[in-house]
Amino acid sequence: MFGQRHIDPAPGTHYRSERVSAVNGQYFFATREGTLEGPFFTRVDAEREITSYIRRMQQASRLVENRAF
């Protein structure tokens, strides 16, 4: 994902890091929001859940933006 969210600060130097990590045989992924999601049984499961997580976050963002106050 190369886009910038409207809540992100101004463009700067960004370093890519591995989002999936293994701890005691279980897999987790780190989010931009600073959370660690998991555990998952396999790396493939964790990577698949990254896609689901992004989709949920985008959907939540659209709901908040479209909500009438």
Side-chain angles (χ1 to χ4, degrees), residues 1-24:
M1 219 173 161
F2 295 107
Q4 181 176 351
R5 299 173 297 181
H6 63 83
I7 61 172
D8 286 342
T13 303
H14 300 281
Y15 300 96
R16 288 208 174 267
S17 63
E18 185 62 41
R19 291 206 186 258
V20 177
S21 58
V23 178
N24 294 329

